[in-house]
Amino acid sequence: MTRSTSVAMTATIHDQLCDHLLRDDGQEDLCMAIYRPSTGRSRTTALISAILLPNVGERTVHGNVTFTGDYVLRASEAAAAVGGGVVVLHSHPGGHRWQAMSGPDRDAERSYANLAREITGLPLVGMTLAGSDRSWSARHWDQGAGQDVEAAHANNVRVIGPTLALTWNDELAPPPPATARLRRTVSCWGPETQADLARRRVLVVGAGSVGLDIAVRLAASGVESVTVMDFDTVEEHNLDRLIGATGRDVALRRPKTYVAHREMSRNATAADPHFEVSNHSICEPEGLAVALDHDLVFCCVDRPWPRAVLNSVAYSDLIALIDGGIAIDTMPSGTLRNATWRSHVVAPGRPCLVCNHQLDPARVPLDIDGLLDDPAYIAAAGNRQIDGAGQNVAVMCVSAAASMLAQYTSLSAGPGGFGDPGPLQYLLSTHELAHLDHTTSPHCPYEASEAHGDLRIELTGEHATAEHQRQLQVDVSTRVRLLQWLDDRVSSAESWIDRVAGRP
Ligand SMILES: [Zn+2]
């Protein structure tokens, strides 16, 4: 598998870099920064964690900017001290969108690529800021060595703030062709937004009622790369709200991700969709590695452990998290008292799941120790709510999905120039929508781990329930295996008929 590269930064860092690199006199400028790597299964992202502005004499502005070896040395030592690498950034004041490297750009970066890598152990990252639209381009000097060192261009650069802004390298990640199926979608936000949103890699963690609905709607909106992660198997009690799953899926002991892939494929509108599934938990190292390949994550799980992992990744790896859920409150008589659904974007600049009271850190170790699945613990806990055991109804969980998709739209498309609205809560009984005024705790360890990347708080480990579920999916009887095989053939025949009938 060819590894791709990317660069990410917060809007705060982006604004500070623009202040320095875009000069009033219209000349190019330059500075250095420190990054930390975030290593996914197939992508490495450089997360910019600190800016090192030049001291007097370390760079000269004279039409084309030049810099000294001492500046590279100072930046390399500062980066090495925090386990990071060096970024060298300069501006093309009149530039627009992704920038190609000029000859002098290439020579300047190449001449210091080996030095920076030798001191930090990490490749030099070069970046260009286009002055006209403040978009970035980036390359990692990680090909070859010595005289032959060469740069590999990144796929994209993302800036996470009230909106998630990406600049794309059209050569490596070409804009998808418009299809007739997407005409009405494109007419809502224009071809540029569509070309951007369609290329973002989106992960949906949890393929239950809310996660499945979100995944299918992303596929129908033309998003090309959607991954769904879940280790659960479809069971009979899921059928009242897992829209698309059937009794046959229960009988054939199918993983929820199988159903998600099937329903996404049936509803896809992109010309070349590539949907993936993972039967891991985000709490397992393999699951985390999958997540690090994505630009955006939907959290559709209610257990404390996976929520803690995703909460950490939102800050440490600058991968925006859209979280939400529904709580249903019943009267002692068993009738409906109220239902509340919430949604929020979790990312630098916004309170984390602990600070917005959506994750109780005391329950994370109970989940890790398996106590939330332990009948003895559940009995001893009396009527304390056990996470994941909550009630849900198909006519209501769609509202939780809708609320999260509305957060996604605000974060991604910035309607009217507004980004994500902050934490929202909707009360069903009185039909009131509230903007919740949560703020960050001054000592929040999650938010303090911003751009730490591979030095993030280690929360993954063995996940006995996920392991057990996967084993059950493998250990099916010969009869079930035969039925699965027959059903797959029927599905293939149906796809073939669709193709022949001209329904791609
Ligand atoms: Zn926090």
Side-chain angles (χ1 to χ4, degrees):
M1 188 188 291
T2 322
R3 290 193 72 77
S4 65
T5 58
S6 177
V7 175
M9 69 184 90
T10 62
T12 309
I13 294 258
H14 166 80
D15 289 343
Q16 288 167 359
L17 287 168
C18 288
D19 282 349
H20 172 77
L21 293 172
L22 302 177
R23 301 165 58 96
D24 292 337
D25 64 10
Q27 296 195 74
E28 280 190 30
D29 209 336
L30 173 144
C31 69
M32 306 255 175
I34 297 175
Y35 78 90
R36 291 203 181 95
S38 165
T39 313
R41 190 185 48 167
S42 65
R43 181 179 80 177
T44 303
T45 305
L47 310 166
I48 301 184
S49 56
I51 302 170
L52 301 168
L53 293 178
N55 292 330
V56 176
E58 284 184 331
R59 65 92 166 74
T60 318
V61 175
H62 46 72
N64 283 336
V65 65
T66 53
F67 56 105
T68 65
D70 282 352
Y71 188 15
V72 181
L73 214 51
R74 177 167 75 86
S76 301
E77 282 166 4
V82 294
V86 176
V87 194
V88 55
L89 312 99
H90 75 283
S91 51
H92 286 175
H96 176 62
R97 302 178 76 147
W98 196 270
Q99 297 289 293
M101 262 192 297
S102 68
D105 289 350
R106 181 180 295 278
D107 292 344
E109 289 182 14
R110 185 204 297 274
S111 62
Y112 292 109
N114 290 315
L115 176 68
R117 184 161 61 175
E118 220 160 89
I119 296 174
T120 63
L122 291 167
L124 177 74
V125 171
M127 293 189 77
T128 313
L129 173 65
S132 298
D133 59 1
R134 298 183 162 215
S135 65
W136 292 99
S137 40
R139 52 264 159 202
H140 286 60
W141 287 86
D142 58 358
Q143 310 292 299
Q147 293 288 340
D148 298 324
V149 67
E150 202 34 78
H153 287 274
N155 276 33
N156 62 23
V157 175
R158 59 180 201 271
V159 176
I160 176 68
T163 57
L164 174 61
L166 275 83
T167 317
W168 290 95
N169 179 349
D170 287 344
E171 236 169 76
L172 291 180
T179 70
R181 292 176 167 202
L182 283 162
R183 200 168 59 230
R184 296 290 167 88
T185 299
V186 174
S187 72
C188 291
W189 47 39
E192 282 216 9
T193 298
Q194 180 65 21
D196 178 15
L197 267 50
R199 282 180 279 182
R200 297 178 179 202
R201 301 197 63 179
V202 185
L203 171 66
V204 179
V205 178
S209 50
V210 173
L212 176 62
D213 196 23
I214 286 172
V216 169
R217 282 170 195 282
L218 291 170
S221 303
V223 179
E224 288 185 310
S225 292
V226 183
T227 307
V228 175
M229 184 181 289
D230 202 314
F231 53 80
D232 256 345
T233 310
V234 183
E235 295 183 59
E236 191 156 18
H237 66 259
N238 301 135
L239 294 183
D240 65 353
R241 62 206 186 283
L242 204 59
I243 308 298
T246 64
R248 202 192 288 180
D249 294 319
V250 176
L252 300 184
R253 308 262 294 267
R254 284 198 158 129
K256 286 181 178 171
T257 50
Y258 179 98
V259 173
H261 193 276
R262 183 184 68 208
E263 297 307 307
M264 283 193 293
S265 302
R266 280 181 178 166
N267 289 282
T269 52
D272 182 23
H274 20 272
F275 304 139
E276 291 182 34
V277 298
S278 167
N279 290 1
H280 281 101
S281 161
I282 190 74
C283 304
E284 296 174 295
E286 297 87 345
L288 175 65
V290 168
L292 299 179
D293 288 349
H294 292 81
D295 302 313
L296 186 70
V297 178
F298 281 89
C299 175
C300 306
V301 286
D302 44 19
R303 280 301 183 90
W305 187 12
R307 292 171 66 74
V309 174
L310 290 169
N311 193 42
S312 157
V313 165
Y315 298 90
S316 62
D317 299 274
L318 306 182
I319 299 175
L321 181 69
I322 298 173
D323 177 67
I326 187 163
I328 293 172
D329 187 13
T330 47
M331 302 274 197
S333 61
T335 54
L336 179 64
R337 188 202 305 268
N338 196 6
T340 308
W341 46 89
R342 291 183 183 224
S343 61
H344 28 263
V345 172
V346 175
R350 290 290 183 196
C352 80
L353 290 178
V354 175
C355 294
N356 76 12
H357 311 302
Q358 295 303 295
L359 171 65
D360 177 358
R363 298 180 70 71
V364 177
L366 301 179
D367 196 10
I368 292 175
D369 291 341
L371 291 173
L372 302 181
D373 292 311
D374 179 350
Y377 175 82
I378 294 169
N383 52 10
R384 271 172 59 189
Q385 195 212 335
I386 298 299
D387 309 77
Q391 312 97 314
N392 211 337
V393 185
V395 294
M396 288 194 267
C397 60
V398 65
S399 297
S403 183
M404 291 169 74
L405 286 166
Q407 293 270 3
Y408 160 80
T409 307
S410 287
L411 179 73
S412 309
F418 292 96
D420 89 78
L424 296 177
Q425 174 186 265
Y426 192 89
L427 299 179
L428 179 69
S429 55
T430 52
H431 289 275
E432 281 170 287
L433 178 69
H435 286 257
L436 302 176
D437 193 20
H438 294 305
T439 49
T440 288
S441 142
H443 306 293
C444 174
Y446 290 101
E447 292 168 60
S449 69
E450 190 174 295
H452 282 198
D454 295 339
L455 303 173
R456 71 188 70 79
I457 306 166
E458 183 52 73
L459 286 167
T460 59
E462 279 181 29
H463 194 290
T465 311
E467 193 60 55
H468 178 64
Q469 282 292 327
R470 285 195 295 270
Q471 201 52 48
L472 287 179
Q473 288 158 13
V474 172
D475 290 347
V476 290
S477 66
T478 311
R479 181 181 149 275
V480 169
R481 241 196 307 274
L482 178 65
L483 290 171
Q484 283 178 350
W485 183 85
L486 281 171
D487 199 59
D488 286 343
R489 297 289 83 75
V490 172
S491 297
S492 301
E494 283 172 355
S495 306
W496 181 81
I497 291 167
D498 278 346
R499 270 202 307 278
V500 170
R503 294 196 298 265

